[in-house]
Amino acid sequence: MLTVGFIGIGTMGRDMALNLIAAGHRVQVHDVVAAAARSLADHGAAVADSIADAAAGADLVVTMLPDTPQVEEVLLGPGGLAEHPPAGGVVVDMSTISPEATRRMHAALARVGVSLLDGPVSGGPIGAKNGTLSIMIGGDQAAFEKARPALEAMGKTIVHVGPTGAGQTAKLCNQIMVGLNLQAVCEALALGRAAGVDLEVLRQVMLGGSAASWMLDKMGPAMIAKDDKAGFRIDLMLKDLRLVGELAFSVGLPLPGTALVTSQYLDARAHGEGGLGNQALFRVYDRMSNQGE
Ligand code: NAD
């Protein structure tokens, strides 16, 4: 069993930390919002008031933070992990951030003897809760083996994709699939609705054939019921699509499908829907087909 520092007790981090505790690891939790960390005290976590306390005596530290700037602050900022490295010398950043920034931070932490793994996840809040996330690891194989028992408490599919940054690159490819699959579901449901077909019947029959997809299966019911409660927020998806765009620019690759769906997510945000779940992309199609409330 490991001692794990866990920084970023948000939508995903909270359940991931709970799964680490359930697997028997000692978990030291920290969040810039102190109440978020404190909420895990009754569940067996040690509450850490600082990054240094979260890392103290830890075999590894996991970060689960919104975006690149927050990860940079926690890793390299004043009072951060470069100044207070975990005893075991391993940090796993499970946030979705820039692969290029990940490589820079890996080099900076290597100078203080810490191995940074990138380990972004797919599977959303349900995967975090059930411990069934898909985890995409980039970085050093030996550090990966050290972290493996902790990763196994949080995920089911755990793949070492390649060197530092490769995990984040895989996650960005994953997000292209997420965006375009969701767009495909929206478009099929929008046409079915406009042409007068029962959407649940349509969903069922499509699930039985070559149109079946995770999105249609898991998000279709919420889309049909107009249940837009936040799961994976549109604002977070736009952050990921921004990272996809930056990577595509850096390698000079046109991504026409991604460009279109990014515009549709921006349309959603412009209509005040950034805080809604991903499935609210269907509202964009409501507006195009005059099917709003
Ligand atoms: P969240 O905003 O719910 O949680 C982030 C947490 O980090 C918050 O509790 C916040 O207070 C904390 N935080 C921010 N800055 C901090 C700092 N400097 N020091 C300490 N704590 C700080 O976000 P989330 O939904 O849990 O997502 C986290 C990451 O996982 C993101 O990169 C996201 O893209 C990725 N992700 C999210 C989902 C999802 O469905 N929500 C799915 C896969 C991947």
Side-chain angles (χ1 to χ4, degrees):
M1 289 300 135
L2 301 171
T3 297
V4 182
F6 203 111
I7 301 177
I9 309 298
T11 305
M12 297 291 285
R14 187 171 203 281
D15 280 319
M16 292 160 73
L18 284 171
N19 281 327
L20 284 166
I21 295 166
H25 301 291
R26 180 184 155 74
V27 183
Q28 305 174 160
V29 295
H30 175 71
D31 195 288
V32 75
V33 177
R38 275 203 302 272
S39 74
L40 290 183
D42 288 346
H43 298 270
V47 178
D49 291 334
S50 64
I51 294 169
D53 284 350
D59 296 294
L60 75 145
V61 172
V62 172
T63 51
M64 194 55 174
L65 299 160
D67 199 353
T68 309
Q70 292 80 26
V71 177
E72 276 176 337
E73 188 185 327
V74 167
L75 267 50
L76 305 180
L81 290 170
E83 291 175 12
H84 304 280
V90 177
V91 173
V92 189
D93 175 38
M94 304 187 77
S95 334
T96 304
I97 67 162
S98 151
E100 203 261 320
T102 297
R103 284 189 283 272
R104 267 192 283 112
M105 288 188 275
H106 175 270
L109 284 184
R111 288 196 280 277
V112 294
V114 171
S115 187
L116 173 66
L117 295 171
D118 39 319
V121 304
S122 184
I126 298 168
K129 195 172 182 54
N130 296 339
T132 55
L133 292 168
S134 178
I135 305 178
M136 308 162 199
I137 296 288
D140 178 57
Q141 185 76 37
F144 173 45
E145 292 309 330
K146 276 198 206 172
R148 192 191 281 276
L151 300 173
E152 284 174 349
M154 298 182 277
K156 205 165 84 178
T157 303
I158 302 164
V159 177
H160 186 245
V161 183
T164 303
Q168 293 294 355
T169 299
K171 170 70 184 184
L172 298 183
C173 298
N174 184 88
Q175 293 309 80
I176 293 177
M177 297 294 297
V178 165
L180 293 180
N181 279 331
L182 189 61
Q183 183 203 43
V185 177
C186 287
E187 233 161 90
L189 293 182
L191 181 60
R193 180 175 62 184
V197 171
D198 181 281
L199 292 189
E200 188 44 42
V201 173
L202 176 63
R203 175 176 163 273
Q204 285 301 333
V205 74
M206 290 196 296
L207 280 175
S210 54
S213 72
W214 189 98
M215 279 298 168
L216 182 63
D217 185 21
K218 302 284 194 282
M219 304 309 289
M223 293 164 75
I224 292 168
K226 296 202 169 190
D227 175 2
D228 293 335
K229 281 195 303 291
F232 182 63
R233 290 192 306 278
I234 281 180
D235 281 340
L236 275 178
M237 185 62 184
L238 274 166
K239 181 262 296 184
D240 291 356
L241 290 169
R242 188 199 81 228
L243 293 168
V244 170
E246 287 170 5
L247 183 60
F249 260 83
S250 75
V251 295
L253 182 71
L255 295 176
T258 305
L260 176 57
V261 82
T262 301
S263 292
Q264 293 178 313
Y265 276 103
L266 286 168
D267 178 315
R269 187 164 71 185
H271 283 86
E273 292 160 350
L276 299 180
N278 218 10
Q279 66 279 13
L281 191 68
F282 201 25
R283 301 288 79 78
V284 175
Y285 284 82
D286 287 353
R287 286 187 282 276
M288 290 194 290
S289 52
N290 199 22
Q291 292 280 336
E293 290 306 318

